[in-house]
Amino acid sequence: MKAWRLERLGGELGLKDVRVPEPRPGSVLVRIGASVLMSYLKPYVEGKLPIYNPPPGPFTIGTNGVGVVEAVGRDVWHLKPGQRVVLSSHFVARDNVEDPAHILIGLTAGAGAEPVLADWPDGTLAEYALMPVEAVTPAEGLDHLDAAHLAAVGRCIIPYGGLLRGRLAAGEMLVVNGATGAYGSAAVLLGIAMGAGRVIAAGRNRTALEAVSRMGGPRVSTVAVTGDVKADADALRAASGGGAHMAFDMVGQARDPNATLAALHGLRRGGRLVLMGSMTTDLPVPYTTLMLNSWEIIGQFMYPAGAYLRLLDLLRSRLLDISPIRPRVYALAELPAAMEAAATAGNLEYIVMQP
């Protein structure tokens, strides 16, 4: 088969002929139908992101994807050849311990998880991928979506993990901070699908916020933040009828904490703030104010194992409409051009590779 193999970060990347993997116990061999590119894949490949801890030695790059089961290994009881599936790069070691290691297949390992990534190094930018069964979710009943369009769930699954962790309930007021980013826009769609009474899309770009509002429909309103914490918090509280029940923070590479602090102060008593962004500075928490308002601050990385099942249920029921997020499709051999496109893709588009 053909696979994009990276020698090491900053090393040679090439489309190679390699053997199709043989299924092993607890694994699923999937014929890839679509693989979604990360916006930062090019600097990752070039070794410009030193915080990442890649597999040792040459490996196949690529993270989330969509495909069809080709074969299964021993100890796989429910998945069968011919089933359509969604693939997750996030894999948590199956050991029954308090703090199991976790990795992103084809990308990086958390602290102490290097042996797990060495066991499962290869991702989805290939014609076939061998995945641990825990990272494979059946996707029947979605025939109205081809592989390229179904791959948009890879954009949704991360913010969905944060909204689940924040216990978003039907009828609640939700603030999405960083709503004009790729994951923030998806969070707006998810908030509507999960029954939020109103979603307040917050960000700095008024034009982009208007596009997000049109995408989300009548239950979405917008607040253009200015950097003034008090004024922005007052605007968020007014837009949410006195304060939000929950704020979801997905700001990207923010150099100051003001927008996140505004989201915190825009909560009503007992509200929750979920942090999933990539702010590059500390968040100064007002201890007494936090205590007096019974606010809850929650950090969340990725999503629980069962999240894809529930996300696909939202799609099947037509509660979640992912059609506003549009794929741009490239052939597998076109990876260099596709990586350039991924780096500049807008918040309502994503780059898909198809063998």
Side-chain angles (χ1 to χ4, degrees), residues 40-134:
Y40 54 87
L41 183 59
K42 187 172 186 285
Y44 169 83
V45 164
E46 293 173 345
K48 296 178 179 178
L49 302 176
I51 63 170
Y52 285 86
N53 186 13
F59 64 100
T60 300
I61 60 175
T63 50
N64 293 3
V66 173
V68 175
V69 175
E70 184 76 11
V72 300
R74 186 169 56 81
D75 297 340
V76 176
W77 311 112
H78 298 285
L79 294 173
K80 306 294 181 185
Q83 275 187 295
R84 195 182 196 199
V85 292
V86 170
L87 306 179
S88 170
S89 63
H90 185 225
F91 171 60
V92 179
R94 54 181 68 104
D95 309 58
N96 188 22
V97 296
E98 289 286 347
D99 187 17
H102 63 89
I103 63 170
L104 298 178
I105 298 169
L107 187 67
T108 190
E114 292 84 357
V116 183
L117 190 61
D119 202 34
W120 294 105
D122 295 325
T124 57
L125 281 173
E127 293 178 309
Y128 293 87
L130 187 67
M131 304 289 285
V133 67
E134 293 88 346

Side-chain angles (χ1 to χ4, degrees), residues 51-355:
I51 63 170
Y52 285 86
N53 186 13
F59 64 100
T60 300
I61 60 175
T63 50
N64 293 3
V66 173
V68 175
V69 175
E70 184 76 11
V72 300
R74 186 169 56 81
D75 297 340
V76 176
W77 311 112
H78 298 285
L79 294 173
K80 306 294 181 185
Q83 275 187 295
R84 195 182 196 199
V85 292
V86 170
L87 306 179
S88 170
S89 63
H90 185 225
F91 171 60
V92 179
R94 54 181 68 104
D95 309 58
N96 188 22
V97 296
E98 289 286 347
D99 187 17
H102 63 89
I103 63 170
L104 298 178
I105 298 169
L107 187 67
T108 190
E114 292 84 357
V116 183
L117 190 61
D119 202 34
W120 294 105
D122 295 325
T124 57
L125 281 173
E127 293 178 309
Y128 293 87
L130 187 67
M131 304 289 285
V133 67
E134 293 88 346
V136 181
T137 304
E140 289 98 343
L142 294 165
D143 295 340
H144 62 289
L145 296 171
D146 63 20
H149 287 84
L150 181 57
V153 296
R155 171 70 59 81
C156 297
I157 187 62
I158 292 175
Y160 186 55
L163 295 176
L164 288 177
R165 181 70 189 280
R167 309 184 303 280
L168 178 64
E172 288 191 326
M173 302 292 161
L174 170 68
V175 167
V176 175
N177 188 36
T180 58
Y183 290 123
S185 298
V188 171
L189 290 176
L190 286 161
I192 295 298
M194 295 170 71
R198 178 158 294 276
V199 177
I200 298 88
R204 297 182 185 275
N205 187 321
R206 292 180 182 274
T207 301
L209 283 174
E210 290 171 3
V212 170
S213 178
R214 290 193 298 271
M215 168 196 76
R219 281 190 285 145
V220 177
S221 59
T222 63
V223 169
V225 297
T226 64
D228 182 319
V229 174
K230 184 180 186 308
D232 292 341
D234 288 345
L236 292 172
R237 293 179 70 86
S240 57
H245 298 91
M246 176 179 166
F248 177 75
D249 189 270
M250 190 52 100
V251 293
Q253 299 296 307
R255 297 185 182 90
D256 70 67
N258 292 348
T260 303
L261 285 172
L264 175 65
H265 286 270
L267 294 173
R268 65 183 62 195
R269 189 180 302 277
R272 296 98 62 198
L273 170 66
V274 176
L275 304 178
M276 286 196 82
S278 53
M279 190 163 64
T280 59
T281 188
D282 291 338
L283 180 66
V285 175
Y287 186 103
T288 302
T289 305
L290 188 77
M291 180 270 294
L292 290 175
N293 285 282
S294 301
W295 286 336
E296 186 178 352
I297 298 178
I298 305 167
Q300 173 64 21
F301 178 72
M302 301 305 282
Y303 41 88
Y308 256 122
L309 286 170
R310 297 174 64 179
L311 179 59
L312 294 178
D313 282 340
L314 288 176
L315 273 180
R316 272 186 284 266
S317 65
R318 307 296 177 103
L319 289 170
L320 175 61
D321 178 13
I322 57 174
S323 63
I325 309 175
R326 302 175 300 275
R328 291 167 57 190
V329 180
Y330 288 76
L332 185 62
E334 299 176 312
L335 181 60
M339 288 194 297
E340 296 285 353
T344 58
N347 61 311
L348 298 181
E349 60 182 355
Y350 57 101
I351 306 303
V352 172
M353 308 296 300
Q354 291 194 300

